[in-house]
Amino acid sequence: MIYKRKKSWHLDVTVDGERYREALNTTDRREALAKEKDRIGEIKAGRVSAPAGRAFSRLGFIEASKIYQQEREGKVAERTTQFEAERLKPLQRYFGEWTLRTIKAQDVAAYQRARIGEGVSGRTVNMETGVLRRMLRTAKLFAVLADYPRAFPEHESEIGRAIAADAKMHLFRVAASKPAWMVAYCAAVLAASTTCRKVELRHLCWRQIDFFGRTVTIHRSKTAAGLREIPLNDDALLALSHLKQRSDADGFGGADHFVFPTCEYGRLDGSKPQKTWRTAWRSLVKEAVKQANENGHKAIAAALKGFRFHDLRHQAITELAEAGEPDRVIESLAGHLSRKMLEHYSHVRRAAKRTAISKLPGGLMATPPVSKQEDDASSKQKRLVTSQSTSQT
């Protein structure tokens, strides 16, 4: 049957026990009847454009998420499909084979608490549950959506931390001290030398590295503005040389192999990117803090505590700003920077200039200058004294 809602016609029909309700996108009744007939024919022929309603809600979460992603391809931007694919991974691990119809609002709340307990930010949890909400809407589970838990508060994201030169050198000395940290160490050198994000480093292939031209070309980034070419300094080239030797030794130094290959069962696989080096990074930062405390460098230990891998990008940008590089140059190297980011680094640049100016020799104003009024009064007094001396003579 068709029915009218707010001047537009809608379809409500049951075929083989499955109910289909959808908009026909027309205000003309004759056209709606024709669309109803065509749509019922498509459903019976199995040419349903998108899984909806009961059929979709009865699928296991992993299968449903795969179908959801397939249906989204071509309808939204490629970057959006990549973003949702990343956000779905922790959801798939948590819900596994749960059918969509068995997921309740309290289950979503439990997922939120579990992710926060893992140290994930509220913003990330909100993005993940946002994808889940869209899947539940596709399944027409409006009762769950009505009781959907609130999103976590999203504080203004930190610009990032930058540490002093002595703390930075201490951190990298510790990172280079253990073979188990070699990959994290090289990744950190690249981040601090190029402004690259972790996702950009993880998806680097050897064909993107030009050792002779001393450049790296970023093909995958957080935004379209992040696709860029970055010059490589000596530190970055040395880090890449170490990684190339490692890949060549294992037979994964080909042009299409990843610079940071995944390691499965103790063996490298250059066809897949490494998922993360978070464990190694946290271990070496913890060790750096420990050693700084043992050596009595409390300020360095305090600066490094909780220092994130992503902070290395901000470290590089901050150092460029302090060196006086223009905003356009910094943004060209770093990719997209929000207005808030640029204002922050402009502030960093002003602070650096103020610090530099304060180092100029002082003492030039030890003797206060004579004002014009004082000078006029002094001249008048001199003329008066001269006049009196003349009259007495």
Side-chain angles (χ1 to χ4, degrees):
M1 61 168 286
I2 60 173
Y3 63 95
K4 200 170 187 179
R5 179 192 295 170
K6 293 183 179 180
K7 298 182 180 180
S8 182
W9 288 94
H10 292 68
L11 171 71
D12 186 349
V13 63
T14 300
V15 179
D16 297 331
E18 297 294 340
R19 187 180 184 187
Y20 297 85
R21 292 187 297 175
E22 53 193 68
L24 294 174
N25 300 318
T26 180
T27 57
D28 183 87
R29 187 173 184 278
R30 290 184 180 180
E31 185 179 358
L33 288 170
K35 284 190 171 185
E36 175 193 22
K37 183 178 179 181
D38 293 341
R39 187 58 175 157
I40 291 174
E42 289 177 354
I43 294 171
K44 289 182 176 179
R47 298 193 302 271
V48 182
S49 62
R54 295 181 190 174
F56 189 56
S57 68
R58 285 204 293 262
L59 297 175
F61 189 88
I62 293 177
E63 183 183 358
S65 62
K66 291 178 180 178
I67 294 175
Y68 171 80
Q69 291 177 79
Q70 291 171 0
E71 293 295 334
R72 297 278 282 175
E73 290 179 2
K75 297 180 180 178
V76 296
E78 182 181 357
R79 178 58 191 153
T80 301
T81 58
Q82 293 174 352
F83 167 84
E84 291 187 337
E86 292 294 327
R87 301 286 79 79
L88 278 167
K89 288 178 181 178
L91 288 164
Q92 291 169 340
R93 288 196 301 269
Y94 185 88
F95 289 107
E97 295 303 323
W98 289 33
T99 57
L100 288 179
R101 65 193 302 178
T102 61
I103 298 176
K104 305 302 180 186
Q106 58 266 30
D107 300 319
V108 181
Y111 172 81
Q112 290 177 321
R113 292 191 297 271
R115 292 291 282 160
I116 291 293
E118 294 173 5
V120 178
S121 70
R123 176 174 174 77
T124 300
V125 175
N126 291 342
M127 290 189 293
E128 292 169 358
T129 53
V131 181
L132 175 58
R133 177 191 286 272
R134 289 192 284 277
M135 288 182 63
L136 295 175
R137 187 180 294 118
T138 301
K140 301 193 181 300
L141 297 171
F142 299 112
V144 180
L145 294 171
D147 298 326
Y148 209 73
R150 288 185 177 183
F152 279 97
E154 295 183 14
H155 304 291
E156 285 293 328
S157 57
E158 290 185 43
I159 296 298
R161 296 166 57 184
I163 53 180
D166 55 350
K168 176 183 173 182
M169 294 307 298
H170 173 70
L171 175 65
F172 279 89
R173 279 195 297 269
V174 173
S177 65
K178 288 187 179 182
W181 295 337
M182 192 274 282
V183 173
Y185 171 48
C186 291
V189 170
L190 287 171
S193 303
T194 63
T195 74
C196 280
R197 302 175 176 92
K198 183 192 289 187
V199 66
E200 295 168 351
L201 294 176
R202 284 180 52 239
H203 291 90
L204 273 183
C205 292
W206 286 115
R207 57 184 160 79
Q208 297 169 240
I209 312 297
D210 183 354
F211 283 98
F212 295 103
R214 296 173 66 100
T215 61
V216 56
T217 305
I218 305 301
H219 289 168
R220 176 170 176 177
S221 184
K222 181 181 178 182
T223 64
L227 309 182
R228 61 203 187 278
E229 184 180 271
I230 306 172
L232 297 172
N233 62 15
D234 291 341
D235 284 336
L237 282 171
L238 282 171
L240 287 167
S241 296
H242 284 300
L243 292 168
K244 189 70 165 68
Q245 291 173 7
R246 172 179 178 255
S247 295
D248 287 341
D250 287 274
F252 294 110
D256 292 324
H257 289 141
F258 287 97
V259 174
F260 293 94
T262 189
C263 185
E264 297 178 344
Y265 307 108
R267 299 185 63 183
L268 297 182
D269 183 355
S271 64
K272 300 177 184 178
Q274 183 167 346
K275 293 181 179 179
T276 183
W277 41 77
R278 179 185 298 172
T279 302
W281 177 254
R282 289 180 176 177
S283 297
L284 70 88
V285 170
K286 187 176 179 180
E287 180 63 22
V289 172
K290 178 185 174 183
Q291 290 187 20
N293 278 321
E294 290 175 349
N295 295 329
H297 302 305
K298 304 297 182 183
I300 292 179
L304 291 176
K305 189 174 182 180
F307 192 74
R308 305 169 303 170
F309 185 89
H310 186 68
D311 290 327
L312 293 168
R313 167 177 161 84
H314 298 288
Q315 178 78 25
I317 298 174
T318 299
E319 290 172 352
L320 288 169
E322 288 177 340
E325 296 299 332
D327 284 347
R328 287 187 178 181
V329 173
I330 295 175
E331 192 163 8
S332 176
L333 288 169
H336 173 72
L337 291 175
S338 67
R339 175 50 49 187
K340 181 179 178 181
M341 289 278 192
L342 285 175
E343 289 174 356
H344 170 77
Y345 293 119
S346 296
H347 174 74
V348 168
R349 189 181 295 109
R350 288 195 299 272
K353 289 179 180 179
R354 189 175 293 111
T355 301
I357 288 294
S358 68
K359 294 178 181 178
L360 292 174
L364 303 180
M365 287 290 289
T367 303
V370 177
S371 66
K372 186 177 185 302
Q373 291 82 359
E374 291 174 333
D375 186 51
D376 291 344
S378 177
S379 299
K380 185 178 180 181
Q381 182 66 27
K382 287 180 181 179
R383 288 195 300 272
L384 180 62
V385 170
T386 302
S387 174
Q388 290 177 348
S389 297
T390 302
S391 63
Q392 289 175 359
T393 303

